[in-house]
């Protein structure tokens, strides 16, 4: 596994928009404060040309988005690429990424939701570690949440033991100033749905937004089977989070990935808090859907984790060894860059 160089003060952080961009007044204010926060930590920040653009859910055409991303990878001063936003159309620019450049000049890439298309694909195809945590705007809150400062510490090479949060934000937040923190309103509960009272999980981490990952399966960008075979002696610790699916969709999607051979070396599964799981016409819920597809694998399955669209979220490093202890609704997570 290739780990990009850790961040040093005065390194450059590049912000680009491989999916949608940021164009509303409040989003721009949040983006600018994110840049100010990162600069206050001692880093330089640069934007590619179309970060502040959004038309039909895209910051620019696919070739332009790919070229802007490649420009940051090629810049030896840029050590971290932050995705500006999520969206729906990142898949269009995957053919325009320079994967050989990423292998030869590995750069940290971080994003969440639609940027799974980059983070998952780069790690499984290039053997380069990537980060699933936040998009750039989350760094725009007036006082950074501790999960975000932990994120930066990990990128600086510090060994951080991450503890599960106490409370999370259960719905969407309408920003007024753009500087708001998370509107936490519900108790966190990491659930072990395979029956154990406690579990200790260890394995090579890989995952992201399940809605995106399912669309990579079976395409020319799907190198997942080779990846999980390469690291089978470590065990693969999968993590997923669902943005918008029914429980039946969750079951079918996970069944498809299982039948594709992705889960043959699975050491366990961690699922983030579901976002928009529509159970209106269903007699099963999110956890039922997960168990329907994965319950026969005989490995621990945890749901309700601090991952995904219901923040706060811990930092997951694709390609790193994850050590996860879960008991009594809480968890600790540590990473080994080996």
């Amino acid at each position: 596994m290739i780990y990009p160089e850790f961040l040093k003060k005065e390194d450059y952080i590049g912000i680009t928009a491989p999916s949608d961009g940021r164009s509303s007044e409040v989003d721009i204010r949040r983006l600018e404060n994110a840049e100010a926060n990162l600069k206050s930590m001692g880093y330089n920040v640069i934007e590619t040309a179309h970060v502040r653009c959004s038309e039909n859910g895209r910051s620019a055409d696919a070739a332009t988005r790919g070229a802007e991303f490649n420009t940051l990878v090629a810049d030896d001063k840029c050590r971290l690429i932050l995705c500006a936003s999520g969206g729906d159309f990142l898949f269009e620019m995957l053919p325009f990424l320079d994967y050989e450049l990423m292998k030869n000049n590995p750069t940290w890439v971080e994003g969440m939701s639609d940027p799974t298309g980059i983070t998952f694909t780069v790690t499984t195809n290039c053997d380069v570690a990537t980060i699933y945590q936040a998009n750039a705007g989350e760094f725009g809150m007036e006082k950074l949440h501790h999960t975000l400062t932990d994120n930066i510490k990990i990128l600086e090479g510090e060994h951080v033991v991450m503890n599960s949060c106490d409370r999370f934000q259960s719905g969407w937040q309408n920003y007024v100033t753009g500087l708001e923190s998370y509107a936490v309103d519900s108790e966190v509960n990491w659930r072990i749905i395979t029956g154990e009272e406690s579990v200790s999980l260890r394995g090579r981490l890989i995952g992201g937004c399940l809605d995106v990952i399912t669309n990579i399966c079976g395409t020319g960008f799907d190198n997942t089977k080779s990846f999980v075979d390469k690291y089978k002696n470590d065990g693969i610790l999968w993590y997923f989070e669902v943005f918008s699916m029914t429980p039946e969709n969750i079951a079918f999607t996970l069944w498809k990935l299982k039948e594709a051979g992705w889960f043959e070396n699975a050491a366990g599964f961690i699922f983030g808090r579901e976002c928009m799981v529509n159970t209106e016409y269903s007699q099963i819920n999110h956890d039922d859907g997960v168990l329907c597809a994965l319950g026969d694998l005989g490995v621990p399955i945890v749901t309700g984790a601090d991952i995904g669209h219901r923040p706060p979220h811990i930092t997951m490093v694709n390609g790193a060894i994850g050590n996860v202890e879960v008991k009594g609704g809480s968890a600790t997570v540590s990473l080994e860059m080996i």
Side-chain angles (χ1 to χ4, degrees):
M1 180 56 54
I2 301 168
Y3 299 97
E5 290 183 21
F6 292 119
L7 296 184
K8 303 181 298 295
K9 301 304 181 185
E10 299 187 6
D11 278 345
Y12 280 71
I13 296 174
I15 299 177
T16 192
S19 184
D20 203 358
R22 302 281 77 184
S23 61
S24 72
E25 181 179 347
V26 70
D27 283 341
I28 294 297
R29 188 180 305 121
R30 194 165 179 83
L31 174 66
E32 291 179 343
N33 201 57
E35 295 180 2
N37 283 335
L38 294 169
K39 289 175 181 176
S40 73
M41 297 178 190
Y43 298 104
N44 295 291
V45 181
I46 52 176
E47 288 183 21
T48 55
H50 290 84
V51 166
R52 305 185 186 207
C53 301
S54 177
E55 185 174 354
N56 296 326
R58 304 162 173 87
S59 65
D61 64 86
T64 298
R65 285 180 273 152
E68 292 184 358
F69 185 89
N70 292 334
T71 297
L72 293 177
V73 176
D75 187 343
D76 289 333
K77 299 190 301 296
C78 180
R79 302 315 319 153
L80 168 64
I81 300 172
L82 277 177
C83 297
S85 174
D88 296 291
F89 298 102
L90 184 141
F91 69 91
E92 297 172 334
M93 55 84 71
L94 288 179
F96 299 99
L97 293 187
D98 191 333
Y99 298 96
E100 287 303 312
L101 177 63
M102 176 60 79
K103 292 178 185 178
N104 295 326
N105 194 31
T107 306
W108 287 110
V109 181
E110 177 171 341
M112 192 202 75
S113 192
D114 205 27
T116 296
I118 290 180
T119 56
F120 184 88
T121 302
V122 164
T123 297
T124 53
N125 283 270
C126 302
D127 222 31
V128 173
T130 59
I131 293 182
Y132 196 76
Q133 217 281 13
N135 294 322
E138 292 204 41
F139 290 92
M141 60 185 67
E142 189 166 13
K143 182 179 179 181
L144 292 184
H145 190 272
H146 70 83
T147 53
L148 294 170
T149 55
D150 283 349
N151 184 181
I152 297 297
K153 289 176 183 177
I154 289 168
L155 281 163
E156 292 173 338
E158 185 174 332
H159 179 73
V160 177
V161 176
M162 296 173 283
N163 295 311
S164 55
C165 298
D166 295 326
R167 296 174 67 78
F168 73 95
Q169 178 180 306
S170 64
W172 300 113
Q173 183 177 15
N174 293 318
Y175 298 122
V176 177
T177 67
L179 309 183
E180 293 89 348
S181 184
Y182 302 129
V184 296
D185 57 6
S186 301
E187 290 188 8
V188 168
N189 181 27
W190 289 51
R191 306 182 298 273
I192 305 169
I193 63 172
T194 41
E196 301 91 337
E197 290 188 5
S198 64
V199 293
S200 296
L201 300 171
R202 177 179 170 85
R204 190 73 62 171
L205 287 167
I206 192 67
C209 183
L210 187 61
D211 310 54
V212 177
I213 286 176
T214 184
N215 295 317
I216 295 171
C217 182
T219 70
F221 303 100
D222 179 7
N223 193 50
T224 311
K225 188 66 169 58
S226 295
F227 178 86
V228 301
D229 285 346
K230 178 177 181 178
Y231 293 108
K232 63 183 178 182
N233 291 336
D234 298 323
I236 306 300
L237 186 50
W238 285 94
Y239 70 91
F240 294 114
E241 55 107 357
V242 174
F243 175 65
S244 178
M245 288 186 179
T246 65
E248 293 85 357
N249 292 149
I250 293 168
F252 176 75
T253 298
L254 292 171
W255 173 83
K256 178 178 77 170
L257 302 183
K258 181 173 67 173
E259 290 298 311
W262 284 25
F263 301 152
E264 288 177 3
N265 303 311
F269 295 86
I270 303 170
F271 286 81
R273 291 181 282 271
E274 61 268 28
C275 183
M276 294 191 296
V277 174
N278 183 1
T279 59
E280 184 176 354
Y281 300 107
S282 176
Q283 295 183 7
I284 65 173
N285 60 26
H286 170 277
D287 291 2
D288 295 328
V290 170
L291 282 172
C292 176
L294 305 181
D296 63 341
L297 294 180
V299 297
I301 303 172
V302 176
T303 64
D306 298 311
I307 303 169
H309 287 77
R310 296 302 188 211
H313 17 239
I314 58 176
T315 300
M316 304 298 276
V317 178
N318 289 317
I321 296 291
N323 296 286
V324 182
E325 303 281 341
V326 184
K327 184 177 181 179
S330 299
T332 59
V333 179
S334 63
L335 305 169
E336 298 176 40
M337 307 286 191
I338 58 176

